[in-house]
Amino acid sequence: MLNVVSDELVRRRNLFAASHCSHLNVYNSSHDVKLQRIAVILDETSMILDSTGRDKDEKSEIAAITGHLLTIGRLGRALGIHLIVATQRPDVASVPGALKAQLDGRICGHCADAQSSIVILDDGSGAKLPAIPGRFLVRDGSGADKIVQAYFLERDEQYDV
């Protein structure tokens, strides 16, 4: 699937270059056929990208996946292709530094320790966040953090929800 998205990224780069457009909104405002935004969502990133204990072939595959993600992160925003990366257990091996540098917006729940927070936010703010279900720290790249409270529904055994 990443190959398909990478091919679409190249196609869009060529379309934008031929049309002298710098980003998706400019392209769509000047063309009848509109391009839709694409979201590439990678969940459980630490399980996918951590190469610890992997054999040579698996490490090669992880390197290829990481390469695609880096390209999408670096070039995709202007082309309307967005990357969302999620992990429950952040550590240095779960999100490579080069990929993390491409992720402007970050959302972090309470972290058990400062090290986990540093992996996500580059500082210990997540460890200082109260451990309230549904409470998150949002860092959008503007330099201003926001604390948000999402709805949190308790599991109801009676209804298996």
Side-chain angles (χ1 to χ4, degrees):
M1 187 50 95
L2 287 174
N3 288 330
V4 171
V5 174
S6 293
D7 290 346
E8 176 62 12
L9 188 142
V10 170
R11 185 182 81 82
R12 288 182 180 205
R13 281 182 74 185
N14 292 335
L15 285 173
F16 286 27
S19 302
H20 305 289
C21 297
S22 59
H23 56 81
L24 181 68
N25 293 340
V26 173
Y27 181 88
N28 280 343
S29 68
S30 61
H31 290 79
D32 292 332
V33 177
K34 309 297 184 211
L35 295 174
Q36 298 298 313
R37 292 187 182 277
I38 297 171
V40 176
I41 302 170
L42 182 65
D43 192 14
E44 296 297 349
T45 304
S46 59
M47 293 179 66
I48 297 168
L49 297 184
D50 187 354
S51 61
T52 306
R54 307 285 184 111
D55 65 31
K56 182 180 175 184
D57 290 338
E58 290 172 319
K59 287 181 180 182
S60 177
E61 190 172 329
I62 290 168
I65 291 168
T66 303
H68 282 298
L69 295 173
L70 285 169
T71 300
I72 293 166
R74 189 177 70 251
L75 303 173
R77 284 184 295 269
L79 303 170
I81 302 174
H82 306 281
L83 182 60
I84 299 170
V85 176
T87 185
Q88 290 184 29
R89 293 192 174 87
D91 61 35
V92 176
S94 63
V95 182
L99 178 58
K100 192 171 101 170
Q102 300 301 323
L103 306 173
D104 288 341
R106 301 177 189 187
I107 301 172
C108 180
H110 172 76
C111 293
D113 56 50
Q115 185 59 38
S116 295
S117 177
I118 290 168
V119 170
I120 301 167
L121 300 170
D122 296 326
D123 65 35
S125 301
K128 297 174 188 169
L129 189 67
I132 299 170
R135 178 77 45 102
F136 298 96
L137 188 134
V138 176
R139 184 166 290 167
D140 63 7
S142 68
D145 292 347
K146 295 178 183 92
I147 295 177
V148 298
Q149 181 65 48
Y151 288 107
F152 180 78
L153 302 173
E154 293 286 338
R155 180 183 166 101
D156 188 334
E157 299 291 333
Q158 179 182 355
Y159 297 104
D160 195 31
V161 177

